[in-house]
Amino acid sequence: MLRNTDTRWGSVAQAFHWVIAALIVVQGAIGLTMMELGMTPTKVKVFALHKSIGLTVLALVLLRLAWRLVQRAPREVRMPAWQRAAARLSHFLLYVLILAVPFSGWLFNSAANAPLEWFGAVHVPSLTRGFDPVLKAFALRAHVVLFWILVALVVIHVAAALWHHYRQRDDVLLRMLPARRKRNLFRRQGVLP
Ligand code: HEM
Ligand code: HEM
C-alpha cells in the first residue's frame, strides 16, 4: 500500500523514513571522519560527497514533508496523554533538525564562498552574497550543535521505538516496517484451501 492507512504507514512514508535515517547515519560518519583527514585530494572529494549527500537529504526531507501533509497519518496508538504529547513534540523536533542540519551546512558553505556541485553534475546556488565571516562562523556552529542535538534526539527516538516494541508490545514499530506476509505452510502445501 503506497498511502498511509488508518493503522499503518504506507510504503512511501516508510521508504522516506528509512532512507533518510540511513543517509543521516552515513552523513554523521562521513562528517566526523572527514574532519580528521589531512590536506589531501581525498579530503576535497570526501567533503564534496558529504555536501552532495547532505543536499540529497534536504531534498528528500522536503518531499517527505509534502507527502506527509497531503494525507492523514495513521491513527495514534493508544497511550497515556503525556506519551502522545512527547511523541508529537519529538517528531516535530526531528523534522526541524533534519531540515536545519543540512540547511546550516549549505549556509556555511555559501558564507565560506566554497563551490557547490551536486555530485559534480548540478551547480547549486549560494545562499549568501559572497564571503561572510560572521555568518560563516554562526552557520558552522549551528551545523555542529544541531547535529549533536539530532543525535541525542535520535537516541531517545530509537529507545522509545524499541520500548514500544519489546516492553509495551504494541504496533508502533511494526507499522513503520513493511508488512510481513503471513505464510501459511499448510495453505502452501495445499492442505488448507
Ligand atoms: C543530513 C545532513 C548532514 C549531516 C548529518 C551533517 C553532519 C556533519 C558533521 C557531523 C560534521 C562534522 C562537524 C565537526 O565535527 O566539526 C559536518 C561538517 C561539515 N558539513 Fe555537514 N552534515 C550534513 C549536511 C551538510 C550539507 C548539506 C553541507 C553543505 C552543502 C555540509 C557541509 C559541511 C561542511 C563544509 C563541513 C566541514 C566544516 C568545517 O570545515 O569545519 N553538511 N557535517
Ligand atoms: C536518523 C534517524 C531517524 C530519524 C531522523 C527519524 C525521524 C522520524 C520522524 C520525523 C518520525 C515521525 C513521522 C511522522 O509523523 O511523519 C518518525 C517516526 C517513527 N520512527 Fe523514526 N527516525 C529515525 C530513526 C528511527 C529508527 C532507527 C527507528 C527504530 C528503531 C525509528 C522508529 C520510528 C517509528 C516506529 C516511527 C513511527 C511512530 C508512530 O507511528 O507514531 N526511527 N521517525
Side-chain angles (χ1 to χ4, degrees):
M1 190 74 78
L2 289 179
R3 299 179 69 92
N4 300 338
T5 67
D6 213 24
T7 52
R8 292 186 61 79
W9 293 96
S11 42
V12 175
Q14 289 188 14
F16 274 131
H17 177 268
W18 294 110
V19 170
I20 290 170
L23 288 180
I24 286 176
V25 173
V26 168
Q27 272 299 84
I30 298 179
L32 295 174
T33 45
M34 73 187 190
M35 303 307 291
E36 312 293 317
L37 297 172
M39 257 305 162
T40 58
T42 312
K43 181 167 185 162
V44 179
K45 281 191 198 144
V46 177
F47 261 63
L49 181 68
H50 177 79
K51 296 181 204 175
S52 296
I53 300 177
L55 290 171
T56 310
V57 171
L58 183 57
L60 286 175
V61 175
L62 291 172
L63 289 174
R64 176 180 178 183
L65 271 175
W67 180 253
R68 173 72 162 83
L69 295 176
V70 295
Q71 63 182 319
R72 269 216 251 168
R75 210 177 334 108
E76 282 166 321
V77 171
R78 277 179 147 275
M79 61 179 90
W82 73 267
Q83 277 178 25
R84 194 171 311 136
R88 277 189 202 159
L89 178 66
S90 59
H91 292 165
F92 175 76
L93 290 176
L94 280 168
Y95 274 127
V96 171
L97 288 166
I98 57 181
L99 282 172
V101 170
F103 180 77
S104 58
W106 185 6
L107 193 60
F108 167 70
N109 200 75
S110 307
N113 215 8
L116 195 52
E117 299 275 328
W118 186 74
F119 291 106
V122 181
H123 173 75
V124 181
S126 169
L127 295 171
T128 61
R129 270 191 234 132
F131 183 70
D132 186 332
V134 178
L135 195 58
K136 179 183 162 202
F138 167 78
L140 178 58
R141 190 143 191 84
H143 195 54
V144 180
V145 171
L146 293 175
F147 169 73
W148 286 111
I149 298 176
L150 174 61
V151 170
L153 210 57
V154 167
V155 169
I156 297 172
H157 179 66
V158 173
L162 297 178
W163 178 77
H164 275 285
H165 190 67
Y166 290 107
R167 281 289 166 137
Q168 299 298 101
R169 293 174 184 274
D170 58 25
D171 279 344
V172 168
L173 179 58
L174 290 177
R175 68 195 204 150
M176 192 42 111
L177 293 171
R180 247 197 267 160
R181 257 177 247 275
K182 287 198 187 82
R183 282 214 208 113
N184 188 321
L185 196 60
F186 295 111
R187 190 163 291 142
R188 266 199 301 162
Q189 289 174 349
V191 177
L192 284 174

